[in-house]
Amino acid sequence: MYTHDVIIVGSGLAGLRAAMELVGRFDVAILTKVYPSRSHSGAAQGGVAAALGNVDGDTPEAHIFDTVKGSDYLGDQDAIEIMCNDAPAAIYEMEKLGCPFSRTGENKIAQRAFGGHSFQRACFSADRTGHALLHTLFEQSMKNAGKLQVYSEWYVTRLIVEDGVARGVVAFDIKTGRLEVFHGKTILFATGGYGRAYQITSNAYANTGDGITAAYRAGVPLMDMEFVQFHPTGLYQHGILLSEAARGEGGYLLNGLGERFMSKYAPSKMELGPRDIVSRSAQTEIDEGRGAGPNKDYVYLDLRHLGKEKLMERLPQIYNLAKDFIGVDAMKNPVPIQPTAHYSMGGIPADNDCQVLADEKGNLVKGFFAAGECSCVSVHGANRLGTNSLLDALVFGRRAGKKLAEVTGGMDWSPVDERKELDAALNEIRALREASGSEDMTSIRSELKNTMTYKAGVYRNGDDLGQAHKKIKELQERFKRAPMADKGNTFNTNMVESLELAHMLEYSELIVAGAIERKESRGAHARKDHPTRDDAGWLKHTMAFKTADGGYELRYKPVRITRFQPQERKY
């Protein structure tokens, strides 16, 4: 059994930023499924929001209102105020740590427009902002390599919670298959989102909801799981993100008729409407037969008018992605795109200091924290504004680290039954390894992803969601009869994929269950059979609890509203 004061699971922005507050003061370990510099934070492209006002008259107050409005009023407003007010300091801190932000002619941090924001608020490093931020923090963690223990390519399978106290995790070394218990005074999950349950997605292969599933199985509820964001500009058939920065720099969206269709849906913001509205607009064009291509199943991102110099200075990665993956030269031709599952607004419920909630009444799981995309604080509500995800990770990663330092110092060691925890983890792995039957995991995974994309996607309705729920239950049963081909221990990626699929099957049911019950349309949750927002009935957060019989129970908690009463969203 390994022992550390603080155990951080996940090495993206939130996990690394939290570690900076703790290293040197406590014995800190980071467990990560992938090497830290491969964490999904690095895939964020367009920018990180902060009201620096470097190019216009932006203020934190305007940032707060834009975020509340963008969330379709489901975001908790006290948490949003914290995030937006702390944003400028977070950006200047990253600049001082060495993040190479793009600059204005006056050598200030450059800022560009982004969807749903009323000012040019996105600080950026060309179109590789997440990559620049992640590597800056990774460099800082390497400066403290002697004080910070990093376990790369360790897969966490269990969270240990007893009597309302988090005590550690169980993980296996992917290289050898060796299981170990990691005992800690406090635990932080910064494990990322759950978008890989969808066929068309911008998420990395690692984003299979392992952290949220481990928490859920340990008795922690999950909040607002039905809110999955679809980004309007995913590369056709691949889902790879083509950043909103492309539209922030002046790119157009065109349908198959060559029309800038956003004039019908968001006439004042056009292509810079919030993501939920732009995604629905693109999907509507496709659904109503105005898409492009032989099957009319995509629309276009047109960058041709921006010119070579601007494209290569501001959007080089987007140019290369289109060229490398589908052979389209964005300087000469519009790029085929379609909505892609992008961000998880739901996750592990946490207070403003990232302490995890045990129930809808606000009780805490002692010693357990969550930050970044796996958490639901909730600052994004029903729809996240672009550039607020990196900000969320930086601001709440820092807050988590500070609170962890305060709490860890006052925590005693809670005992862990190592044999019992290892046996429980072994039993799960043994069940996968010894499964027999004629089912095929690849087919089950593919059927799940297609079900989620086409039955619980951009548009939803009661019939489709009911069919999706039935299909997921069927797949869960078939999964028990799907044998694992590789029975070995060394780099058994078949084992990793089996565990991931088990997780996806479990949390996908909660996405669909929350969507079935929520009979309204709000943010990213758009039901054609309940097309309007219902504040009287549904201005509340969904919380899903695992029941003793393996099922789930949905409860609800109110949204915290401080200054901005809900009103109709117009763009």
Side-chain angles (χ1 to χ4, degrees):
M1 182 163 67
Y2 293 105
T3 301
H4 298 279
D5 293 330
V6 185
I7 296 169
I8 297 173
V9 183
S11 57
L13 283 194
L16 290 175
R17 184 61 191 83
M20 282 179 59
E21 298 294 326
L22 299 159
V23 69
R25 302 165 63 188
F26 299 94
D27 175 8
V28 182
I30 293 179
L31 276 75
T32 170
K33 183 177 170 182
V34 298
Y35 192 73
S37 58
R38 290 182 56 220
S39 299
H40 190 54
S41 299
Q45 298 172 352
V48 52
L52 304 184
N54 284 351
V55 292
D56 51 27
D58 197 9
T59 64
E61 186 75 4
H63 189 185
I64 292 167
F65 177 70
D66 288 345
T67 302
V68 170
K69 180 181 177 183
S71 80
D72 219 348
Y73 295 89
L74 194 72
D76 287 326
Q77 295 183 14
D78 55 345
I80 292 171
E81 289 182 37
I82 289 171
M83 181 178 76
C84 298
N85 284 325
D86 285 0
I91 299 306
Y92 289 131
E93 178 186 63
M94 292 304 299
E95 182 187 36
K96 289 174 182 173
L97 290 174
C99 184
F101 287 112
S102 297
R103 317 301 293 190
T104 68
E106 300 169 317
N107 201 30
K108 297 178 180 178
I109 294 174
Q111 297 189 274
R112 59 167 54 125
F114 242 74
H117 293 280
S118 53
F119 293 89
Q120 295 187 48
R121 187 174 290 147
C123 311
F124 60 92
S125 298
D127 57 356
R128 302 184 181 98
T129 310
H131 180 86
L133 292 169
L134 180 65
H135 278 259
T136 300
L137 288 181
F138 184 50
E139 288 168 6
Q140 294 300 314
S141 72
M142 288 298 97
K143 282 171 61 179
N144 293 289
K147 306 170 190 170
L148 178 65
Q149 180 72 48
V150 178
Y151 297 87
S152 289
E153 297 184 328
W154 280 75
Y155 189 109
V156 170
T157 62
R158 287 175 60 78
L159 169 68
I160 303 170
V161 177
E162 281 190 31
D163 301 324
V165 181
R167 304 170 185 224
V169 298
V170 183
F172 74 91
D173 183 352
I174 296 173
K175 292 187 287 294
T176 65
R178 187 177 89 252
L179 273 169
E180 291 286 354
V181 170
F182 288 77
H183 187 196
K185 287 184 176 178
T186 50
I187 319 296
L188 168 65
F189 270 20
T191 53
Y194 49 85
R196 285 307 296 185
Y198 286 80
Q199 185 66 34
I200 302 297
T201 178
S202 64
N203 278 220
Y205 282 97
N207 284 12
T208 49
D210 308 313
I212 62 165
T213 307
Y216 180 65
R217 290 176 177 177
V220 176
L222 299 180
M223 192 161 98
D224 290 342
M225 289 293 289
E226 64 267 37
F227 291 101
V228 178
Q229 179 171 77
F230 295 86
H231 194 291
T233 54
L235 197 61
Y236 176 59
Q237 290 188 325
H238 295 270
I240 298 170
L241 177 66
L242 298 183
S243 171
E244 204 163 320
R247 288 171 281 138
E249 297 292 349
Y252 299 150
L253 295 178
L254 306 177
N255 62 18
L257 304 174
E259 301 166 336
R260 287 182 69 186
F261 58 83
M262 285 309 300
S263 62
K264 292 183 287 186
Y265 305 100
S268 65
K269 287 284 191 180
M270 292 294 286
E271 284 85 357
L272 290 176
R275 288 175 179 171
D276 58 336
I277 291 175
V278 181
S279 290
R280 283 197 292 275
S281 304
Q283 192 64 51
T284 298
E285 293 298 301
I286 293 169
D287 292 347
E288 295 183 356
R290 295 185 293 276
N295 298 319
K296 300 186 183 299
D297 56 350
Y298 58 81
V299 291
Y300 288 119
L301 173 64
D302 190 358
L303 305 173
R304 292 172 294 181
H305 55 289
L306 300 184
K308 180 179 180 181
E309 183 178 351
K310 190 169 188 176
L311 262 179
M312 299 318 292
E313 179 199 344
R314 297 293 182 94
L315 305 167
Q317 183 173 219
I318 288 173
Y319 175 81
N320 288 327
L321 287 171
K323 191 79 180 289
D324 293 346
F325 281 86
I326 59 173
V328 171
D329 184 338
M331 293 183 197
K332 299 177 182 175
N333 297 295
V335 182
I337 51 143
Q338 65 184 128
T340 181
H342 181 59
Y343 189 84
S344 314
M345 269 79 73
I348 302 169
D351 69 8
N352 293 343
D353 289 318
C354 305
Q355 299 180 104
V356 171
L357 306 182
D359 55 36
E360 73 279 16
K361 298 172 184 172
N363 293 309
L364 300 177
V365 181
K366 192 174 179 184
F368 187 33
F369 292 71
E373 192 173 350
C374 76
S375 70
C376 186
V377 171
S378 121
V379 288
H380 308 303
N383 174 64
R384 177 178 68 79
L385 292 187
T387 68
N388 271 349
S389 62
L390 292 177
L391 178 63
D392 171 1
L394 290 174
V395 168
F396 288 98
R398 175 176 175 272
R399 291 181 70 88
K402 287 188 174 299
K403 194 65 179 179
L404 276 160
E406 177 186 323
V407 171
T408 305
M411 288 279 286
D412 295 324
W413 287 97
S414 297
V416 168
D417 185 336
E418 182 183 15
R419 189 66 262 161
K420 174 186 150 190
E421 298 301 334
L422 286 175
D423 284 346
L426 276 169
N427 287 339
E428 182 187 3
I429 289 173
R430 189 177 295 122
L432 295 173
R433 188 170 270 158
E434 295 178 357
S436 61
S438 58
E439 294 293 346
D440 175 64
M441 287 199 194
T442 302
S443 298
I444 293 172
R445 185 183 300 108
S446 177
E447 288 179 48
L448 172 68
K449 288 168 173 262
N450 279 314
T451 298
M452 295 303 289
T453 294
Y454 298 109
K455 301 292 185 183
V458 175
Y459 282 113
R460 302 165 171 181
N461 64 67
D463 289 342
D464 282 350
L465 290 168
Q467 292 172 30
H469 193 268
K470 184 178 178 182
K471 183 68 176 180
I472 291 168
K473 299 302 288 184
E474 173 204 316
L475 294 174
Q476 289 173 345
E477 287 302 312
R478 287 170 53 191
F479 179 71
K480 297 173 184 174
R481 303 189 297 276
M484 204 164 63
D486 185 351
K487 310 289 187 185
N489 290 321
T490 305
F491 264 117
N492 189 341
T493 54
N494 200 200
M495 169 68 74
V496 172
E497 290 172 355
S498 298
L499 288 164
E500 290 173 339
L501 180 54
H503 296 164
M504 289 191 284
L505 287 167
E506 188 155 1
Y507 70 71
S508 292
E509 183 180 6
L510 302 180
I511 296 172
V512 172
I516 288 173
E517 291 303 315
R518 186 173 283 276
K519 294 178 176 58
E520 65 159 354
S521 288
R522 183 185 299 272
H525 173 67
R527 284 190 58 156
K528 286 195 170 181
D529 50 351
H530 296 280
T532 58
R533 198 177 75 196
D534 176 8
D535 289 335
W538 289 101
L539 185 59
K540 55 189 179 184
H541 298 292
T542 306
M543 296 187 82
F545 295 78
K546 192 174 181 70
T547 55
D549 62 358
Y552 58 82
E553 177 188 0
L554 301 183
R555 304 179 201 163
Y556 297 91
K557 69 188 284 281
V559 176
R560 296 193 299 274
I561 294 172
T562 56
R563 288 183 291 161
F564 303 107
Q565 291 302 314
Q567 56 185 272
E568 184 181 358
R569 291 168 77 211
K570 293 181 179 177
Y571 291 96

